[in-house]
Amino acid sequence: MKQIKAYLDQIATISPSDWEFFTSKLQRRVIKKKSVFLKLNDIENHISFIESGVVRLFIPKENPDKEITFGFSFKDQFVSAYDSFLTQTPSAYQLQALSETTLLSITYSDLQDVYKTTQIGNLIGRLTAERLFLLKSSREQNLLNLSAEERYLKLFKERPELLKIIPLKYISSYIGVTAQALSRIRKRL
């Protein structure tokens, strides 16, 4: 709980009563390594804060080599199939723990209670949504404006620990190249 408190304290000051109400709604979940914890077409019912671990967001395909990885979430970040969560409609992608992952999760209905009951709930919700939007916007701009090599270099400048954690096949998909093209990029560097 200390990690999520530190994260939220960066956003706003939370009264003790609001904090107590919010944390009463959180559920700790431990996801095993390689487990898909939100499947295609399931409705996302949680928004989660990652206490430890790494989560991959991807579009599954019949041939696993053709899966499209479009996002990663790390310790001290929120993760969700956020569009499915907001609309309560089936998800067009899946969430998978790449390492054993510990989440603090809140359900959609419990979050609505937090919004209604606390003074700070709506502000935290809005600011968290804004941060998720900025991450998505940055990713889209990188795909449109940077070469594959520049995307690779930027990714590892910002997150050097990725090479140790994330299989290269997921990294190549994330930066939008084949595994062979990523291998050539890595040889040039």
Side-chain angles (χ1 to χ4, degrees), residues 135-152:
L135 288 171
K136 182 180 180 344
S137 177
S138 174
R139 163 106 171 104
E140 290 171 356
Q141 290 174 45
N142 287 341
L143 283 171
L144 294 170
N145 293 316
L146 302 178
S147 69
E149 189 170 312
E150 289 169 328
R151 290 192 301 272
Y152 177 79

Side-chain angles (χ1 to χ4, degrees), residues 5-189:
K5 178 81 165 103
Y7 178 90
L8 294 175
D9 281 344
Q10 295 173 15
I11 297 172
T13 303
I14 305 169
S15 73
S17 61
D18 283 359
W19 176 247
E20 187 176 326
F21 185 79
F22 173 68
T23 57
S24 74
K25 303 294 186 184
L26 294 176
Q27 167 191 13
R28 181 171 274 113
R29 301 189 296 161
V30 178
I31 312 297
K32 291 182 181 175
K33 181 179 181 176
K34 296 186 180 181
S35 293
V36 173
F37 61 98
L38 178 74
K39 295 187 184 307
L40 182 70
N41 294 320
D42 285 354
I43 295 173
E44 174 65 276
N45 192 41
H46 296 93
I47 188 165
S48 301
F49 182 81
I50 302 173
E51 284 191 311
S52 65
V54 178
V55 175
R56 172 173 82 116
L57 293 78
F58 71 103
I59 300 167
K61 300 291 181 185
E62 270 189 44
N63 178 350
D65 292 337
K66 303 283 186 191
E67 292 176 345
I68 302 168
T69 298
F70 65 90
F72 299 104
S73 292
F74 305 93
K75 176 181 173 182
D76 296 333
Q77 291 183 336
F78 281 93
V79 67
S80 179
Y82 199 56
D83 46 352
S84 172
F85 180 80
L86 289 175
T87 60
Q88 290 295 280
T89 58
S91 177
Y93 51 94
Q94 297 189 157
L95 303 181
Q96 178 186 38
L98 293 183
S99 60
E100 182 173 281
T101 300
T102 303
L103 304 173
L104 290 175
S105 301
I106 189 166
T107 66
Y108 180 85
S109 62
D110 282 344
L111 186 59
Q112 302 315 304
D113 286 345
V114 169
Y115 289 160
K116 289 178 202 165
T117 307
T118 66
Q119 291 181 358
I120 203 74
N122 282 312
L123 176 62
I124 291 171
R126 180 180 59 93
L127 294 174
T128 300
E130 287 172 0
R131 287 186 180 197
L132 289 170
F133 170 79
L134 291 173
L135 288 171
K136 182 180 180 344
S137 177
S138 174
R139 163 106 171 104
E140 290 171 356
Q141 290 174 45
N142 287 341
L143 283 171
L144 294 170
N145 293 316
L146 302 178
S147 69
E149 189 170 312
E150 289 169 328
R151 290 192 301 272
Y152 177 79
L153 289 170
K154 182 175 172 50
L155 181 65
F156 290 105
K157 182 181 178 192
E158 293 172 357
R159 291 284 188 176
E161 73 279 10
L162 289 183
L163 271 177
K164 298 174 193 150
I165 301 168
I166 299 174
L168 290 177
K169 65 181 179 180
Y170 299 152
I171 293 169
S172 63
S173 175
Y174 180 74
I175 65 170
V177 298
T178 64
Q180 295 80 8
L182 177 59
S183 179
R184 286 191 296 275
I185 289 169
R186 294 180 72 213
K187 282 180 185 173
R188 282 197 303 268
L189 299 176

